[in-house]
Amino acid sequence: MALWGGRFSTGPDAAFKQFNDSLPFDYQMAEQDIIGSIAWAGALKQVNVLSNTEHSELVTALQQLHVEVQENPQSVATAGYEDIHSYVEAKLIEKVGDLAKKLHTGRSRNDQVATDFRLWSRETAGQILSALRELKAEFITTAERELGTILPGYTHLQRAQPVLFSHWCMAYVEMLERDESRLSDAIKRLNVCPLGSGALAGTAYPINRHALASELGFSEASRNSLDAVSDRDFVVELLSCASISMIHLSRFAEDLIFYNSGEAGFIELADNVTSGSSLMPQKKNPDALELIRGKTGRVFGAFSAMMMTLKALPLAYNKDMQEDKEGLFDAMPTWLACIHMAQACLKGLKVNADRTLSAAQGGHANATELADYLVAKGIPFREGHHIVGQLVQVAIEKQVNLEQLALDEFKAVCSVIEEDVYPVLEIDACIAARQALGGTSLPQVSGAIKTAKKKRQITVRDATLNDVEAIAGLVQYWAKVGENLPRAKSDMVHSINEFAVTEVDGKVTGCASLYIYDTGLAEIRSLGINPEVSAKGQGQQLVDYLLSKAKKLALHRIIVLTRVPGFFTKQGFTDCTKESLPEKVMKDCELCLRKDNCDEVAMEYMLTSKATNFISCKYVA
């Protein structure tokens, strides 16, 4: 089904249809197209294009289609429609008939696809942001584990000066923090809603575009319709972020490939990220790292292609823009997979500290320390540099390290050198001398690790549709152990505006929802924290967040049912009786696995003196 056939007396031939159709790749935006359509249906109801009944029927059908798409997304790709928009409309027609044809009122595929693509990009970028933070945490863990391990540092791939292996780890933490910062900024800029911009000139209906943007989780609505439908800066920016980050991952891969070589032997990679040879049974190849290095070119290619697609493209929308998706659809998952694989390589890494120390001691890596020693004796650095060069030649001729030269051999080149030179040339002294900020001394590296760990922060915010999977996982976990009531994922989608979540390092690690009854009663539901996350204080912050929200809603009394009354006592709650809980709330207890052996304590928190409303909650520590 095409959405534009009225103007044409014949349809496209098979070759053009295959050339023109985008469903084989833009099917990946099926969920976003449906979510955007639900929001647009609400906007049309507000301007009386849809009646309440029509709106309800359309939304129900769209929600059903959403579930069907989630269950079998690949079936969408082969459905034979022109694009994801025509697919969704055709499926809606199957469900509600001609009513489905009213949904496109005031909307164009131009603003529709721009909205879908931004929603997909925002969700995917959020996943990558979390993965970057997890990889950064793995580097910090490795740095802590290997604190004190000495590694030869390199310039020009020649041994230069000794550094701590942890210092090497923290160098990549710095790169990942820049990657994280760039991506966070890109997400802020892409989070603008183009829906309601029409084909290019805006919509003729009095749509509240600010409310529409808010419903879809965007920070604002676009301000110019021409720009909104033709802007693909966010694609270029995401691909730029991906390309720079892949450079870092490729450099990391190359470092480990070299460290893993037989010539270096500094590390051993785990079996789960390596492969063998079909001919040579002794081989253990660093294939995961080589693929990270190799896949970098794919991401670079997508970035270059997108830049060329947009070059000299006139306003507004042009079919060239159909080429914006395949590159990003490939580059973003590739980037994400490489981040995960880098983390896997790092997690199973074994460092041969004896081999790294031996290598750091070779190659006259302490030559700079000897030059600094001469400076301390009053010799200008440039002259000292020349003297040390002569001493290196002597050491090479004798096939020894600098610290193995006898004192008379030192004095034969420079008379100011005394016995006190030997402690300066020890490897530990070389490391300890680098005390300035950013250096490789143990205090500096330890401080860098401590600072990086402090950056792990707990944030509390209202949930978005991007959080549904994480919320569902938390709710299902605590429901299985009998500490929470089960909820269907579709229920979470419909009530996402009721949820708040906590994030640690950008990953959702806790949730709770605030449900308002028709009578004005309210209940905190589905409160749970990821037990594998060590960050403390999430439960308290969620409770504080919901107490604040309850005050804004003019609620008066907060009730909790809890097995950890001590926690709530610290939050200002006091004991109350279960008999004070209304029957409507107590009915939910029939679903609880512990209903016949309840050991929960009822507590209350008075927000005002007029205790007319309440919240009931089951807290999961």
Side-chain angles (χ1 to χ4, degrees):
M1 182 188 96
L3 302 180
W4 43 266
R7 164 68 175 79
F8 296 80
S9 57
T10 62
D13 62 31
F16 173 70
K17 186 177 187 306
Q18 184 177 9
F19 187 66
N20 182 65
D21 288 359
S22 59
L23 188 63
F25 55 85
D26 70 15
Y27 77 92
Q28 296 183 59
M29 300 189 300
E31 291 189 48
Q32 288 77 22
D33 198 76
I34 293 167
I35 290 168
S37 294
I38 291 173
W40 187 248
L44 291 179
K45 184 184 76 169
Q46 294 299 319
V47 296
N48 299 317
V49 171
L50 295 176
S51 67
N52 289 338
T53 300
E54 289 173 328
H55 171 260
S56 178
E57 190 174 351
L58 274 174
V59 169
T60 299
L62 285 165
Q63 289 169 344
Q64 291 172 352
L65 182 58
H66 192 194
V67 174
E68 293 168 10
V69 164
Q70 286 180 320
E71 290 174 349
N72 190 6
Q74 288 296 329
S75 65
V76 181
T78 57
Y81 294 90
E82 180 183 359
D83 54 30
I84 189 57
H85 321 300
S86 54
Y87 170 86
V88 170
E89 185 165 320
K91 293 301 178 182
L92 271 183
I93 291 172
E94 291 178 9
K95 293 179 181 297
V96 299
D98 286 346
L99 172 59
K101 299 177 182 179
K102 297 182 72 173
L103 183 59
H104 205 58
T105 304
R107 181 175 68 169
S108 166
R109 285 188 298 177
N110 293 356
D111 62 342
Q112 191 175 354
V113 71
T115 303
D116 294 353
F117 204 12
R118 285 175 183 264
L119 289 171
W120 183 92
S121 297
R122 186 180 67 189
E123 179 178 354
T124 306
Q127 295 170 359
I128 292 172
L129 198 59
S130 295
L132 285 171
R133 288 166 176 159
E134 290 174 9
L135 177 56
K136 186 172 67 174
E138 195 65 49
F139 269 108
I140 295 169
T141 298
T142 305
E144 283 189 297
R145 185 179 70 237
E146 297 296 334
L147 194 59
T149 300
I150 296 176
L151 175 79
Y154 292 84
T155 62
H156 307 281
L157 209 55
Q158 303 293 309
R159 292 178 194 171
Q161 292 177 278
V163 297
L164 292 179
F165 190 89
S166 300
H167 196 51
W168 175 87
C169 291
M170 297 308 293
Y172 283 100
V173 169
E174 294 293 320
M175 297 182 209
L176 289 168
E177 287 194 345
R178 294 195 295 272
D179 293 339
E180 180 186 338
S181 176
R182 269 185 289 267
L183 185 57
S184 296
D185 287 346
I187 292 172
K188 290 177 185 177
R189 278 185 286 276
L190 74 81
N191 200 31
V192 176
C193 183
L195 194 57
S197 297
L200 76 163
T203 183
Y205 295 84
I207 301 294
N208 185 337
R209 294 192 60 232
H210 294 295
L212 187 60
S214 178
E215 184 173 351
L216 288 170
F218 288 106
S219 59
E220 60 180 312
S222 57
R223 297 187 294 272
N224 183 285
S225 58
L226 278 171
D227 178 61
V229 299
S230 61
D231 170 36
R232 294 298 184 271
D233 286 3
F234 68 95
V235 181
V236 174
E237 194 165 3
L238 288 176
L239 289 171
S240 174
C241 291
S243 296
I244 295 171
S245 182
M246 286 298 295
I247 290 174
H248 297 152
L249 295 178
S250 184
R251 296 181 74 179
F252 159 78
E254 175 61 20
D255 270 352
L256 289 193
I257 289 168
F258 169 63
Y259 293 166
N260 185 68
S261 68
E263 284 67 27
F266 297 163
I267 63 166
E268 182 182 351
L269 296 169
D271 290 352
N272 65 322
V273 292
T274 55
S275 70
S277 166
S278 62
L279 177 64
M280 297 166 285
Q282 83 280 11
K283 295 294 293 297
K284 186 177 181 181
N285 299 323
D287 284 7
L289 294 166
E290 291 172 352
L291 282 169
I292 290 173
R293 190 174 59 184
K295 289 178 183 294
T296 301
R298 288 173 59 174
V299 177
F300 289 180
F303 178 44
S304 298
M306 190 65 216
M307 295 285 280
M308 291 303 99
T309 296
L310 293 176
K311 177 185 174 294
L313 206 60
L315 292 177
Y317 181 83
N318 296 270
K319 192 69 170 182
D320 310 49
M321 289 183 179
Q322 185 166 294
E323 293 297 309
D324 61 357
K325 297 171 192 65
E326 288 182 275
L328 195 67
F329 285 165
D330 180 73
M332 297 294 273
T334 297
W335 182 16
L336 181 60
C338 288
I339 294 169
H340 287 320
M341 195 52 57
Q343 184 177 357
C345 290
L346 200 56
K347 188 182 289 289
L349 194 70
K350 293 181 180 178
V351 181
N352 185 343
D354 291 338
R355 188 71 177 262
T356 60
L357 177 59
S358 177
Q361 289 173 326
H364 314 292
N366 50 5
T368 304
E369 274 61 42
L370 181 53
D372 289 336
Y373 168 85
L374 295 177
V375 169
K377 295 288 186 178
I379 296 175
F381 179 80
R382 186 53 57 205
E383 184 179 342
H385 184 283
H386 179 75
I387 292 169
V388 173
Q390 290 178 305
L391 287 167
V392 168
Q393 285 188 15
V394 173
I396 290 172
E397 289 171 2
K398 291 182 174 293
Q399 297 183 346
V400 296
N401 293 327
L402 281 170
E403 67 272 18
Q404 294 172 315
L405 290 174
L407 182 57
D408 60 346
E409 291 172 322
F410 277 118
K411 283 186 170 293
V413 177
C414 182
S415 61
V416 304
I417 299 177
E418 301 292 344
E419 284 284 351
D420 60 353
V421 74
Y422 291 106
V424 172
L425 296 178
E426 291 178 0
I427 191 87
D428 289 338
C430 296
I431 295 291
R434 307 299 163 182
Q435 290 281 357
L437 178 64
T440 192
S441 67
L442 189 60
Q444 282 297 321
V445 175
S446 298
I449 293 171
K450 186 176 181 180
T451 299
K453 290 179 69 176
K454 280 183 177 179
K455 291 182 179 179
R456 296 189 78 207
Q457 296 180 345
I458 301 171
T459 58
V460 188
R461 60 172 174 79
D462 289 332
T464 71
L465 286 170
N466 296 332
D467 304 318
V468 169
E469 289 295 331
I471 292 171
L474 289 166
V475 171
Q476 288 165 5
Y477 173 84
W478 289 110
K480 284 180 181 177
V481 299
E483 295 285 354
N484 225 334
L485 297 178
R487 294 181 71 169
K489 188 185 293 186
S490 58
D491 176 43
M492 298 173 200
V493 171
H494 302 159
S495 57
I496 194 64
N497 60 315
E498 300 170 5
F499 276 91
V501 295
T502 52
E503 283 187 331
V504 176
D505 294 336
K507 185 176 182 179
V508 173
T509 53
C511 69
S513 70
L514 181 64
Y515 179 77
I516 308 297
Y517 289 98
D518 292 340
T519 57
L521 303 178
E523 177 184 6
I524 297 176
R525 296 178 169 180
S526 306
L527 178 56
I529 308 300
N530 186 334
E532 297 181 358
V533 176
S534 59
K536 297 180 179 179
Q538 294 184 74
Q540 177 182 343
Q541 290 196 34
L542 271 171
V543 171
D544 288 345
Y545 189 86
L546 293 171
L547 284 175
S548 177
K549 189 171 185 178
K551 290 177 183 178
K552 292 177 182 178
L553 293 172
L555 299 172
H556 305 291
R557 183 185 180 212
I558 312 300
I559 297 293
V560 296
L561 287 170
T562 179
R563 295 184 180 87
V564 285
F567 168 84
F568 284 98
T569 298
K570 293 178 181 178
Q571 310 308 314
F573 284 74
T574 57
D575 292 344
C576 67
T577 63
K578 292 181 181 179
E579 287 73 21
S580 66
L581 303 181
E583 181 181 354
K584 188 169 186 179
V585 175
M586 295 302 291
K587 282 183 179 179
D588 285 341
C589 292
E590 294 300 315
L591 301 175
C592 182
L593 297 177
R594 298 175 185 260
K595 65 178 181 179
D596 296 325
N597 189 27
C598 182
D599 57 354
E600 292 181 321
V601 176
M603 304 184 75
E604 67 180 359
Y605 184 102
M606 305 302 294
L607 292 170
T608 69
S609 59
K610 297 179 180 180
T612 56
N613 293 336
F614 68 89
I615 299 178
S616 166
C617 103
K618 295 187 178 181
Y619 173 73
V620 180

